Amino acid sequence: MVLALQRYFVPVTNWKTDVVYITGDDVHHISRVMRLQDGDQIICNHPEGKAATCEIISLTKDSVQATIIEWLNESVELPIDVTIAQGLPKSDKLDYVLQKGTELGAAAFIPFKAERSVVVWDAKKMEKKLNRYTKIVKEASEQSHRTKIPQIMPVLTVAGLIEEAANYDVLLFAYEEEAKREDHQSFGTILNKLRKDQRILVCIGPEGGFSQGEVNQLKENKFLPVRLGPRILRTETAPLYVLASISYHFEELRWV
């Protein structure tokens, strides 16, 4: 059985013509965890979304040097740019959303403080959390063979989220009450109207959902309420439903 090559994301400053320099925690992973040696091959991802098969030519305590063998012709990113705005959930649910959402192709994540969010972060805790989350999406990107690492934005308020919405083409928010209306707007209906290369922002409420005030605020700012199937989903399940549906619709049905 041929094992897949290990994949590492390398900052743009570490690409020098035909040589790649790997530093930081990845050096430990290459030498101590994977026990790779000179002559072994890895895949290095460039920040622009390109990837190359590389051969290790030098391995020290602080760095790994690898020479580029060939650039790969890969197409693994979603054809639609999807950002998940996740209402801050309890415990480690956001870890799960970030990891699985990355595997499913999310381009970015925006944690936001909703009225019904129980979690409270101070500045120190926020910095620590964001550092942890950055590591989670990097490792998930490597594991799922993505060519880009999703961006994680600082925690926003709903007002900040609405301001950020100006950067997107389509604005949606999951609203369970929408599923009870006969004239509800299904997610499938919206998917049929989307076009390749659009930027989509999908907002998911925390465990208690959105307050009525937030619903009104979002609607007034061009966010469309949408149901995600006939069942009520947990806050950590909803973004995965969104991403899996988009992947199936655009990668398996429309643009295969």
Side-chain angles (χ1 to χ4, degrees):
M1 181 178 66
V2 179
L3 297 178
L5 298 180
Q6 286 293 313
R7 185 175 294 253
Y8 300 95
F9 286 86
V10 183
V12 66
T13 53
N14 288 16
W15 293 79
K16 309 294 183 182
T17 312
D18 60 348
V19 176
V20 182
Y21 295 85
I22 299 172
T23 57
D25 293 341
D26 287 338
V27 175
H28 172 80
H29 188 269
I30 290 171
S31 61
R32 299 298 182 184
V33 180
M34 298 307 300
R35 297 188 179 279
L36 299 179
Q37 302 175 355
D38 291 0
D40 288 334
Q41 293 185 0
I42 57 177
I43 294 177
C44 295
N45 283 1
H46 192 282
E48 293 179 355
K50 302 180 293 184
T53 301
C54 301
E55 181 178 311
I56 296 174
I57 57 175
S58 174
L59 201 159
T60 68
K61 177 183 175 182
D62 300 314
S63 69
V64 174
Q65 292 183 41
T67 185
I68 298 172
I69 298 175
E70 66 172 338
W71 289 97
L72 303 176
N73 183 20
E74 296 182 316
S75 179
V76 297
E77 298 299 324
L78 283 178
I80 285 186
D81 187 299
V82 184
T83 293
I84 298 295
Q86 178 72 48
L88 289 178
K90 294 182 289 186
S91 64
D92 60 353
K93 292 178 182 178
L94 187 53
D95 293 29
Y96 181 80
V97 169
L98 293 172
Q99 182 187 64
K100 302 307 176 186
T102 295
E103 292 177 23
L104 288 167
F109 299 93
I110 305 175
F112 71 94
K113 174 71 175 174
E115 287 184 25
R116 294 174 179 169
S117 290
V118 177
V119 177
V120 178
W121 294 354
D122 57 26
K124 184 177 180 181
K125 190 171 185 179
M126 188 178 300
E127 181 180 1
K128 185 177 179 181
K129 288 277 190 181
L130 289 176
N131 288 336
R132 170 177 168 77
Y133 295 153
T134 298
K135 184 176 181 181
I136 288 174
V137 297
K138 176 181 179 292
E139 292 178 351
S141 297
E142 291 170 346
Q143 181 276 324
S144 57
H145 289 194
R146 289 191 57 176
T147 54
K148 295 181 180 179
I149 301 175
Q151 178 187 10
I152 303 178
M153 295 184 61
V155 177
L156 299 178
T157 61
V158 173
L161 192 60
I162 290 172
E163 185 176 339
E164 172 65 20
N167 298 313
Y168 294 85
D169 303 303
V170 179
L171 307 173
L172 307 173
F173 72 100
Y175 186 44
E176 60 269 21
E177 293 301 315
E178 190 72 7
K180 300 176 183 179
R181 294 173 39 186
E182 289 186 7
D183 62 341
H184 70 267
Q185 184 147 220
S186 73
F187 193 46
T189 300
I190 290 174
L191 290 183
N192 284 325
K193 298 177 182 178
L194 298 180
R195 301 187 309 276
K196 188 176 180 180
D197 296 326
Q198 283 186 310
R199 300 193 71 206
I200 303 171
L201 177 60
V202 184
C203 301
I204 309 294
E207 287 86 352
F210 292 104
S211 69
Q212 188 57 53
E214 289 171 332
V215 169
N216 295 338
Q217 195 176 5
L218 290 169
K219 286 183 176 180
E220 290 168 2
N221 287 277
K222 301 182 180 179
F223 281 80
L224 298 176
V226 61
R227 81 164 203 173
L228 302 178
R231 294 163 293 280
I232 303 301
L233 304 179
R234 289 179 179 271
T235 184
E236 70 271 28
T237 307
L240 308 187
Y241 178 102
V242 168
L243 291 163
S245 298
I246 290 175
S247 173
Y248 180 72
H249 188 85
F250 292 105
E251 295 181 312
E252 299 300 320
L253 292 182
R254 186 179 296 188
W255 288 312
V256 294

